[in-house]
DNA sequence: CTGTTAGCGCCTTCAT
DNA sequence: ATGAAGGCGCTAACAG
């Protein structure tokens, strides 16, 4: 019979199995795995290597983590993972996590606060070493509480940020983006702008953009307003009235995101095409080919994801403990036919 | 001094801490957690509840997993997570995993075979209970080997499938989709179709579609060919020649995916607009508003993700062990202006 | 109704 | 140069 008992058939070989096969203790195997062969005989080393290879042994990260109190996993909650923007955030996060050999535990909050909370709790239960949270919004107090708790793990807020909160934040520079777009509209001779968005409801991104627009409007260089809609079905009835207010002037619709952009394309009567401008915070990949080509502010979600992961990793694994930072990444203005005027 | 020693300050409370605080053994706490209060005194139960609440105790999944040999985590590798299609796969996977309380360990293979391999190995090291693999393609032998190994975890191949391989597979019914689209083109009076795609290179989806087109062409009801391109930059020089072959007949370009659709939109000279038709395997959300509206075959990635997760979970957790199945989900034809003819 | 004991797979002093 | 032993947080017989 083998030296190690196998309670279940076909288990993966454990360190004990390797040790037994080589005829040394688990300690030696452990040392081998950690490259501590300073004082190890050439021969044992080779024998261990051979056996590990034969048995196809791989150390159990779970067991390692239990002892080490680091799991090499970080948790990510995404407000709505079905959104292409989110997938690019993940791409960026992945890039840096892969380079540091940390795994990603990913959850989708499906735009529900309650889900986000339980997701975070589950991730914590799974012993993640840190959290990247693309919050659905509306749970600031709870998040702040968590960050204030004694045994909290480092956390980075991504895209949707919450201020003031005690953690690093990464977002688009929405105010600057809005200003850039409105500057562009002025230059193109627009006299009015209508910023269209879904309800803010604690979504910091929307709030920031709305404030950006309102503050710009207050300067008086361009006329306009903010239109908040709950349901796309209401747009056909509300939009004409709003646009009517700017009759005689060249007006441009400014959509908060891809989805709203599509809602507007759907709503805009044929007659309005070419008369009213259109622009949006949107992914260039689609904005470029949507309709006649829609002028957009392309965010850089991949870079945002990278920034968030970098910040998290430096706190979770490299002992960084400076003051928390808010990183605002610039958006890129891509001009297409929709604002030719 | 407390009954339990705390090696590090501010650790999370462990089961031992709770037990000590209540004045019972860990076993009792464990039973409480698993709802085995059949024979537990009302009082102990309440005391435990109170202490757990006070201490904010949460069981360590990692430790549980070590013992139970199930981690309640499944691994997912995605060929290219930046792709919106992928994010919808994840959405579907999430939906069912959440309902079964299993966490997702997600990796991006960045379209590199080598990365996919190491990702799978890492996921396995993290003790996932199963794998959902959206393979980059070109590593069939290795995957088949893994599925054949003695201690392998259940695996489901998603979207990009590999046959014959010993595991469940979920994909779009590409042949049927192609046929549906070509039927539509015939009906609209097109005389020729050019299916445009990147190189197949072991990507089963592309192979299946190319074969679907070729087999349909062989029936002779419509003329046409398959155009494989490596680099979008070459299209402007190759495309006119290809289209020229069908001069006099109404011809439609058929793009393999969103990306190729955009490449074609970029390439198509203005003169060709309205003359040559365009359709694609693409997400309706964008196809609808791209250019004049592009007829597309919308796959159902969310449903595909759900199907894959369901299959995996039934094998990994519910002991299903029937023969492996290949699930082919139908695509949906969405007709827009680009094929009005 | 509750506790004891013996691990899961690995790491880490401390010995030798 | 290598081991033995104890423990990470939790579970699972087996005893009472």
């Amino acid at each position: 019979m083998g030296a190690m008992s196998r309670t279940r058939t076909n288990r993966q070989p454990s360190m004990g199995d390797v040790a037994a096969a080589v005829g040394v203790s688990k300690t030696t195997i452990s040392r081998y795995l950690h490259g501590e062969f300073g004082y190890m005989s050439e021969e044992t080393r080779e024998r261990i290597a051979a056996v590990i290879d034969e048995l196809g042994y791989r150390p159990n990260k779970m067991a390692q983590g239990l002892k080490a109190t680091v799991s090499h996993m970080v948790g990510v909650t995404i407000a709505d993972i079905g959104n292409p923007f989110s997938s690019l955030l993940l791409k960026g996060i992945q890039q840096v996590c892969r380079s540091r050999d940390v795994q990603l535990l990913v959850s989708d909050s499906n735009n529900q606060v309650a889900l986000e909370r339980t997701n975070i709790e589950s991730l914590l239960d799974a012993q993640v070493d840190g959290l990247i949270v693309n919050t659905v919004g509306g749970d600031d107090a709870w998040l702040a509480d968590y960050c204030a708790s004694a045994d909290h793990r480092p956390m980075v807020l991504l895209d949707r940020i919450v201020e003031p909160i005690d953690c690093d934040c990464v977002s688009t520079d929405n105010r600057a983006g809005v200003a850039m777009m409105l500057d562009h509209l002025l230059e193109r001779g627009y006299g009015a702008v209508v910023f269209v968005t879904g309800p803010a409801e604690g979504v910091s991104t929307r709030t920031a953009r709305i404030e950006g627009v309102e503050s710009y409007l207050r300067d008086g260089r361009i006329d306009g307003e903010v239109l908040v809609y709950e349901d796309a079905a209401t747009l056909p009835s509300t939009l004409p009235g709003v646009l009517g207010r700017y009759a005689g002037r060249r007006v441009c619709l400014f959509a908060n995101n891809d989805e709203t952009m599509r809602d507007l394309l759907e709503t805009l009567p044929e007659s309005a095409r070419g008369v009213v401008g259109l622009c949006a915070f949107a992914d260039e990949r689609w904005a470029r080919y949507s309709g006649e080509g829609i002028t957009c502010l392309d965010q850089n979600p991949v870079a945002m994801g990278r920034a968030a992961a970098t910040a998290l990793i430096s706190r979770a694994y490299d002992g960084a403990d400076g003051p928390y930072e808010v990183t605002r990444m610039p958006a890129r203005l891509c001009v297409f036919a929709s604002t030719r005027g």
Side-chain angles (χ1 to χ4, degrees), chain A:
Chain A
M1 72 216 61
M4 281 280 149
S5 70
R6 323 200 128 208
T7 56
R8 285 187 63 77
T9 55
N10 295 125
R11 329 179 340 267
Q12 313 231 39
S14 78
M15 201 162 102
D17 296 323
V18 179
V22 180
V24 296
S25 79
K26 293 194 286 175
T27 317
T28 305
I29 309 296
S30 176
R31 283 202 268 260
Y32 172 88
L33 292 175
H34 294 281
E36 298 167 25
F37 11 64
Y39 296 91
M40 194 165 14
S41 81
E42 180 78 5
E43 201 210 322
T44 350
R45 181 159 79 211
E46 279 165 5
R47 298 235 319 282
I48 295 179
V51 170
I52 284 184
D53 193 60
E54 259 181 57
L55 266 48
Y57 166 73
R58 306 214 103 217
N60 180 330
K61 294 282 182 197
M62 202 142 213
Q64 287 183 168
L66 187 56
K67 186 77 207 184
T69 61
V70 328
S71 61
H72 295 283
M73 298 191 302
V74 315
V76 183
T77 48
I78 298 286
D80 174 15
I81 208 173
N83 188 319
F85 181 79
S86 308
S87 66
L88 292 172
L89 293 177
L90 279 176
K91 184 103 191 169
I93 295 173
Q94 263 285 167
Q95 287 175 1
V96 354
C97 286
R98 179 166 51 227
S99 75
R100 288 294 300 262
D101 206 14
V102 346
Q103 296 281 354
L104 253 43
L105 226 30
V106 177
S107 290
D108 174 28
S109 307
N110 206 31
N111 282 325
Q112 297 165 254
V113 198
L115 221 45
E116 174 171 302
R117 245 191 232 199
T118 61
N119 279 341
I120 291 180
E121 285 170 338
S122 298
L123 293 173
L124 258 10
D125 291 348
Q127 307 303 112
V128 295
D129 298 325
L131 286 166
I132 295 180
V133 177
N134 171 235
T135 176
V136 308
D139 208 14
D140 301 12
W142 189 85
L143 289 172
D145 257 29
Y146 173 72
C147 288
S149 66
D151 56 355
H152 75 125
R153 299 263 156 276
M155 170 165 127
V156 176
L157 253 22
L158 182 52
D159 185 47
R160 322 273 194 97
I161 72 178
V162 173
E163 278 180 299
I165 214 171
D166 259 4
C167 69
D168 295 308
C169 299
V170 175
S171 83
T172 297
D173 190 340
N174 288 297
R175 309 272 304 219
V178 165
M180 202 187 326
M181 181 62 90
L182 297 188
D183 284 347
H184 164 74
L185 295 184
L186 273 179
E187 192 187 307
R188 287 295 170 99
Y190 285 94
V193 61
V194 177
F195 184 73
V196 186
T197 176
E201 277 173 359
V203 179
S204 67
T205 305
R206 294 184 186 170
T207 314
R209 290 173 188 173
I210 291 176
E211 284 173 11
V213 170
E214 285 172 343
S215 123
Y216 197 103
L217 290 176
R218 254 178 264 120
D219 289 350
R221 294 194 290 155
I222 194 169
D223 197 7
E225 67 189 270
V226 171
L227 171 60
V228 177
Y229 71 106
E230 195 83 40
D231 176 3
T234 64
L235 282 176
S237 54
T238 55
L239 202 54
V242 172
L243 289 176
R245 256 173 253 159
Y246 304 96
R249 267 168 301 176
R250 296 190 45 224
V251 55
C252 185
L253 290 170
F254 185 178
N256 175 60
N257 59 23
D258 298 79
E259 202 186 328
T260 295
M261 180 180 98
R262 292 194 298 266
D263 288 343
L264 291 176
L265 281 169
E266 185 65 33
T267 304
L268 231 51
E270 283 297 324
S271 57
R273 287 286 174 82
V275 179
V276 33
L278 183 54
C279 62
F281 274 95
D283 189 320
E284 192 207 347
R285 289 181 292 176
W286 289 281
R288 181 187 196 90
Y289 301 107
S290 289
E292 46 189 353
I294 291 174
T295 293
C296 65
L297 283 162
D298 190 278
Q299 303 178 69
N300 198 337
V302 177
M304 291 170 67
R306 273 198 302 256
T310 304
L312 186 67
I313 283 184
S314 68
R315 289 205 191 265
Y317 301 113
D318 304 336
D321 62 348
Y324 293 115
E325 286 180 10
V326 178
T327 308
R328 295 183 196 282
M329 324 263 314
R332 195 166 44 88
L333 179 66
C334 308
V335 178
F336 298 112
S338 70
T339 54
R340 68 172 165 270

